[in-house]
Amino acid sequence: MARVQPERWANQTEYLLSCLGYAVGIGNLWRFPYLCYRNGGGAFLIPYFLTLIICGIPLVYLETTLGQFASAGCISVFNINPLFKGAGYAVIVLNVIAVIYFSAIMSYPVLYIYHSLGSPLPWQTCGNPWNTDKCTEITGNSSFFLSNGTITTPEDEFFHLRLLRVSSGISEIGSIVWPVFWCNVICWIIIYLCICNGVKSVGKIVYFTVVFPYVVLCALFVRGVTLPGAGKGILFYILPDWKQLMKPKVWVDAATQIFFSLGPGWGGLVSMASYNKFHYKNLRSSIIIPLVNSGTSVWAGFVVFSVLGFASERANVPVGQVATAGPGLAFVTYPATVTMMPAPNFWAVTFFVMLFFLGIDTMFVTIEAVITGLIDEFPRLRTRKRLITLLTCLALFGFSIICNTEGGLHVMELLDAHVAITCVPIVCALEIIAAVYTYGPRELSTDVMFMTGQPLARIWLVLWRYVLPFILLTITVYALKDATGMAGWCVAFVSVLCIPIHVVRQLLRSRGSVLDRFRENCRPNDQWGPADPDIRQEWIALKQKQKGDYALNNLCPSRI
């Protein structure tokens, strides 16, 4: 029985921009440049682009192919192998956890935009009620970036003491920080208004929210490279250290950055591709999205390090003491640099508006992946999609309030460091097993030919079958080495538990011997295939004409 036809993009530009908005996020700005300079500068680009070609692009192509062919979200796409459908539920849990802390991060730029409207900027000086005796302002010979516990900067104290009122540790959650809470409310109102009509509204909004950050990056790039000391920062960023390539961790960092920045295994790519027209040739866009994402990361590195070079020259310290990663770069180091520029209020507002739009696009697709996954699996909800969207946003907002507390930053750091390290590689591995091993390369190739009119090149099958499983295993092992504490391990595995639970449930509901139950549940069910009734009939007719070792079983091909 075919499912109800889903919504469609008005045109493929909307699809491409939505995927770019999803892939290109805050991590391109605050994580990649730091990884690049730490792992050999320009030499890091070799493992980075190599893993992009052999890992990133093939995973994006596989996910968009499966999502587009079945017009299915992250749960229903596993109709190709119902035994693994628990991976779809794991993705839902993963995205819920990610949204909990990411929405709080999005409230920070809103706060900074508000405080950037006043002059002077409130983080420029130490003479404020929230500053401590350790506060030290920037001077020409200051080494304040070497935070040794004896001094702090006005930017650091503004972020941690004034805005967040950070507690001493995660065990002290404390009370709600109301300015952060209300900014979180504003973010969720914007998000709901943008996604309440599904892809019809998201497809129009991304024309601005995706393009605008690139305009700002251009402006920041031009301003950055014209600052004194910019050349020193850029050289520090790109100067190759070839010895670093001999370290396995450099290669793992490159693969991990590619893997987690593009978003395979998170359900967003599958969800966005499910709204494509069935016969859309998705190979080209599956190459463009990773290339633009990686190109943006490299370009953002020039923007960031040109400004950090200027900061290091003004503070008279090496660039390495200025360079940081994560929230420290966006909300401490960059604001410190802005105060040294002419027209600091303008550049502060510009930077934080860009940061907001970089994050909001990712939020659109992440939440849409949750909603699409649930609606595809429970079609009765489709007629009430706007209500489901509202309830989902309200629930996710309620969960995110814990990150608006005084201990919220510690909760965010815990979740961000552990939430995806096991779930995402495992989900990608199960997608490969389901599509390439149990469904079979012959059937997959036939479906791709039927869908796009273009044959599936053998190189994709080689990468999916032999190369990617090894890379995914390596990423998982190295990522788990960084897991810390019982809380970290719980966060890492809470979503993965959905997979074995569903496997046990499916086997118990089946009949026959254990082996027969495994065989039955590893075959596509009668929901797998094109959603459009006419196209589905053509696909079934094609399957019936095929000769070989496969026959039609329950309206889907299965191994005899």
Side-chain angles (χ1 to χ4, degrees), residues 27 53-54 56 67 86-87 95 118 122 140 170 249 253 259 276 293-294 361 467 512 523 547 549 555:
I53 294 171
I54 66 175
N95 281 305
I170 196 171
K249 190 174 186 333
D253 279 349
F259 190 75
N276 280 339
N293 173 70
S294 298
D361 288 324
V467 179
R523 294 169 177 156
K547 295 182 180 180
D549 297 331
L555 298 184

Side-chain angles (χ1 to χ4, degrees), residues 8-320:
R8 299 295 185 192
W9 298 108
N11 56 68
Q12 295 310 139
T13 302
E14 293 181 1
Y15 163 69
L16 187 61
L17 288 176
S18 296
C19 289
L20 286 176
Y22 176 59
V24 178
I26 295 177
N28 298 73
L29 190 70
W30 74 22
R31 177 171 168 80
F32 173 82
Y34 178 79
L35 282 179
C36 189
Y37 106 81
R38 191 186 71 180
N39 289 314
F44 181 71
L45 298 180
I46 294 177
Y48 180 73
F49 281 104
L50 186 61
T51 52
L52 171 69
I53 294 171
I54 66 175
C55 179
I57 294 176
L59 281 173
V60 172
Y61 184 39
L62 177 63
E63 287 209 341
T64 57
T65 296
L66 295 176
Q68 178 177 316
F69 180 80
S71 297
C74 59
I75 300 176
S76 296
V77 75
F78 281 99
N79 287 328
I80 192 174
N81 188 319
L83 191 68
F84 295 162
K85 190 172 280 192
Y89 291 102
V91 170
I92 298 294
V93 175
L94 168 71
N95 281 305
V96 167
I97 297 174
V99 168
I100 287 174
Y101 72 86
F102 199 76
S103 63
I105 293 177
M106 295 315 304
S107 65
Y108 298 166
V110 178
L111 268 176
Y112 268 94
I113 292 170
Y114 170 76
H115 286 287
S116 298
L117 299 178
S119 183
L121 293 171
W123 58 82
Q124 279 187 271
T125 62
C126 288
N128 301 288
W130 60 83
N131 291 127
T132 66
D133 294 336
K134 295 181 179 180
C135 184
T136 303
E137 296 179 21
I138 299 174
T139 61
N141 58 1
S142 172
S143 59
F144 71 95
F145 290 103
L146 282 172
S147 181
N148 57 11
T150 60
I151 60 173
T152 57
T153 67
E155 296 80 16
D156 185 275
E157 291 195 350
F158 176 79
F159 178 59
H160 290 97
L161 302 182
R162 170 65 177 85
L163 291 189
L164 304 187
R165 303 207 309 264
V166 176
S167 65
S168 59
I170 196 171
S171 60
E172 298 181 22
I173 295 298
S175 59
I176 293 176
V177 181
W178 292 107
V180 178
F181 172 84
W182 291 116
C183 286
N184 194 22
V185 171
I186 293 172
C187 290
W188 277 106
I189 292 174
I190 293 173
I191 289 167
Y192 173 73
L193 293 176
C194 291
I195 69 173
C196 63
N197 291 320
V199 296
K200 292 180 181 179
S201 54
V202 172
K204 303 300 182 292
I205 292 167
V206 292
Y207 280 101
F208 177 76
T209 59
V210 173
V211 175
F212 179 77
Y214 282 95
V215 175
V216 175
L217 272 178
C218 287
L220 291 175
F221 175 77
V222 173
R223 184 68 187 111
V225 297
T226 57
L227 291 170
K232 181 172 65 173
I234 292 174
L235 283 177
F236 186 85
Y237 168 55
I238 65 172
L239 197 64
D241 181 3
W242 302 110
K243 295 179 181 179
Q244 293 287 336
L245 296 181
M246 304 301 294
K247 299 179 180 179
K249 190 174 186 333
V250 172
W251 293 82
V252 173
D253 279 349
T256 303
Q257 175 63 15
I258 285 290
F259 190 75
F260 291 115
S261 67
L262 286 177
W266 287 80
L269 294 172
V270 173
S271 175
M272 294 299 99
S274 72
Y275 298 118
N276 280 339
K277 295 177 181 178
F278 182 80
H279 293 296
Y280 171 65
K281 295 176 174 58
N282 66 314
L283 176 58
R284 183 172 64 176
S285 60
S286 299
I287 296 174
I288 291 174
I289 293 165
L291 288 179
V292 173
N293 173 70
S294 298
T296 304
S297 296
V298 175
W299 183 27
F302 283 96
V303 174
V304 169
F305 274 88
S306 63
V307 174
L308 295 184
F310 166 70
S312 72
E313 181 162 295
R314 286 291 299 271
N316 196 28
V317 297
V319 179

Side-chain angles (χ1 to χ4, degrees), residues 499-539:
I499 299 173
I501 290 173
H502 183 80
V503 168
V504 173
R505 178 172 173 268
Q506 281 292 109
L507 294 178
L508 290 177
R509 294 173 61 183
S510 304
R511 297 181 179 179
S513 66
V514 175
L515 184 59
D516 288 339
R517 295 185 187 196
F518 271 101
R519 286 175 176 172
E520 176 187 350
N521 285 286
C522 285
R523 294 169 177 156
N525 61 24
D526 60 358
Q527 296 295 307
W528 173 252
D532 183 278
D534 295 332
I535 296 176
R536 186 176 182 84
Q537 289 302 317
E538 294 178 19
W539 176 67

